[in-house]
């Protein structure tokens, strides 16, 4: 018996660079690990630049069918690269929106086949600040590159809509990050660092939404047991007592 | 075959509150996860308030003998609670220094029995800012509590010394955090938030030291392979090619 795996459920974060970078200072992945401290392990499987088409190549490796320790909850957070516009700088990453939806569906179906009880949360791409994106490109490549934006907020919104509709059709959880962020005035600079990736404030939005969705789905950190006793209940003169229940 | 475990080695952080809190914003655990991004999983097993005596109760559960996926590297970071003074507020947590050393030895021997190749790094307790610790206690309990410090820097130093000597005797890696931090003027407020726990700057010291020790021991993130291809080498028209090597 794999005791370690048994004691702490896993939360897996599957996505692109916004997931990969989620353990940087102020990142939503690290914050989630802290929220579920001593209760669940947060495992990050973020792949910068990846779209859903490429994610499918990883799917059966990251979520193996014979894996006895399937995550109790998974976030699926793709779309920012799928929505890169054809005919522009990042067209290599573009995936047509119908295929994006179909790929997400395949990912969800695979997870459901591994574990029918897994909590699955689809997260839409964030909104795009086209001006911020252009400024970022100029800072990297100078005035001569990218006359037209590689990503638009409108296109990201089309992908976000399909993501949310798919989640509804499949009866799973979703986070409409694209809409949620745009509810705040000044979202362009408040939540986005380069027109696409997240500031600490943007990370805080994702963290809050994931915690909300997981809690509503029954995975509330507050209600989960510690893997081992809190130190305050350990009797200094008779420590065995506290450990007898949880560790025997 | 557990493909997921096979693909990413694990780094395990075993310790007290300074390990438990290491995924808070600016924390050393989260920073380590980011350093080894897409290369290793950082698993946190931090237990606030625990001393080495209580840690022994968890040892065989966290590091099971039949665990096929032993960590490639482990930090063992105890002593701050063992060094709480007898006869003071936190005496319940005190462990005599000889027993502390012996307990650390038992932990290391257990890890070596599981995996003779595991990189093991003993970390000493940080220095104590007694003034900061008193201010913290007053902020919690008012003027009437704790006339004498529950922890002293001198006592922490005694434990730190035994920790370093043990590491030398056993031929394993160590980080003398107690000495290292005191090399910096104003370490009391720069590195410690309440006289004991770490500020983001203090966390950065631990992160830097752990990365250094792991790298010197052969676990350098730069030299480790990605688990899956970097997006820049994926041919948009023929993605299969990039995945054929790493994912077949």
């Amino acid at each position: 018996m794999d005791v370690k795996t048994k004691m702490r459920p896993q939360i897996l974060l599957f996505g692109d660079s916004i997931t990969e970078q989620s353990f940087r200072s102020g990142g939503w992945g690290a914050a989630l690990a802290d929220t579920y401290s001593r209760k669940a392990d947060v495992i990050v499987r973020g792949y910068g630049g990846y779209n859903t088409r490429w994610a499918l190549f990883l799917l059966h490796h990251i979520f193996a069918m014979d894996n006895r320790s399937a995550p109790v909850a998974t976030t699926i957070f793709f779309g920012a690269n799928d929505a890169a516009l054809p005919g522009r700088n990042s067209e290599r990453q573009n995936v047509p929106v119908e295929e994006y939806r179909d790929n997400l569906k395949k990912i969800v179906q695979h997870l459901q086949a591994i574990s029918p009880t897994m909590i699955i949360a689809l997260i839409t791409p964030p909104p795009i600040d086209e001006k911020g994106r252009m400024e970022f490109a100029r800072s990297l490549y100078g005035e001569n590159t990218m006359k037209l934006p590689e990503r638009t907020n409108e296109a990201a919104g089309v992908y976000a809509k399909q993501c949310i509709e798919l989640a509804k059709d499949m009866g799973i959880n979703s986070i409409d990050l694209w809409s949620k962020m745009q509810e705040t005035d000044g979202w362009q600079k408040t939540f986005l660092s380069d027109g696409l990736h997240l500031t600490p404030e943007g990370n805080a939005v994702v963290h809050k939404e994931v915690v909300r969705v997981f809690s509503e789905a029954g995975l509330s950190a507050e209600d989960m047991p510690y893997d081992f006793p809190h130190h305050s209940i350990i009797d200094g003169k008779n420590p065995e007592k506290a450990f007898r229940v949880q560790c025997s």
Side-chain angles (χ1 to χ4, degrees), chain A residues 61-232:
Chain A
H61 296 278
I62 293 177
F63 303 93
M65 284 304 289
D66 62 350
N67 197 324
R68 301 155 304 148
S69 56
V72 289
T74 300
T75 57
I76 304 171
F77 192 173
F78 287 100
N81 298 312
D82 300 64
L85 299 176
R88 305 281 171 85
N89 272 7
S90 299
E91 73 169 333
R92 194 174 58 91
Q93 293 163 292
N94 169 259
V95 170
V97 69
E98 300 78 18
E99 185 190 333
Y100 165 72
R101 181 181 165 130
D102 195 46
N103 290 342
L104 283 182
K105 190 175 177 180
K106 285 178 186 161
I107 295 172
V108 173
Q109 286 173 330
H110 179 71
L111 299 192
Q112 288 176 329
I114 292 176
S115 165
T117 59
M118 192 189 301
I119 297 167
I120 302 171
L122 286 180
I123 307 178
T124 75
I128 297 292
D129 171 30
E130 290 155 38
K131 208 175 142 209
R133 209 67 202 132
M134 295 291 271
E135 284 163 6
F136 174 70
R138 268 198 296 273
S139 76
L140 280 186
Y141 308 111
E143 288 298 326
N144 293 326
T145 52
M146 201 165 95
K147 300 292 180 195
L148 293 165
E150 47 167 20
R151 289 169 170 84
T152 63
N153 193 39
E154 191 187 349
V158 171
Y159 285 71
K161 194 174 168 225
Q162 287 302 313
C163 175
I164 297 299
E165 283 188 6
L166 175 70
K168 278 188 191 146
D169 285 354
M170 298 188 83
I172 61 168
N173 308 283
S174 63
I175 295 167
D176 188 352
L177 194 62
W178 188 82
S179 299
K180 180 81 192 166
M181 285 189 161
Q182 293 183 78
E183 288 170 9
T184 298
D185 283 342
W187 58 269
Q188 294 90 338
K189 301 297 175 211
T190 304
F191 295 144
L192 305 174
S193 62
D194 59 5
L196 168 64
H197 296 95
L198 308 181
T199 60
E201 291 76 14
N203 273 285
V205 174
V206 178
H207 171 247
K208 192 179 165 189
E209 289 297 306
V210 172
V211 169
R212 181 183 60 76
V213 164
F214 281 1
S215 298
E216 287 172 4
L219 194 74
S220 163
E222 285 172 21
D223 299 334
M224 294 168 74
Y226 278 125
D227 58 351
F228 293 114
H230 191 272
H231 82 88
S232 61

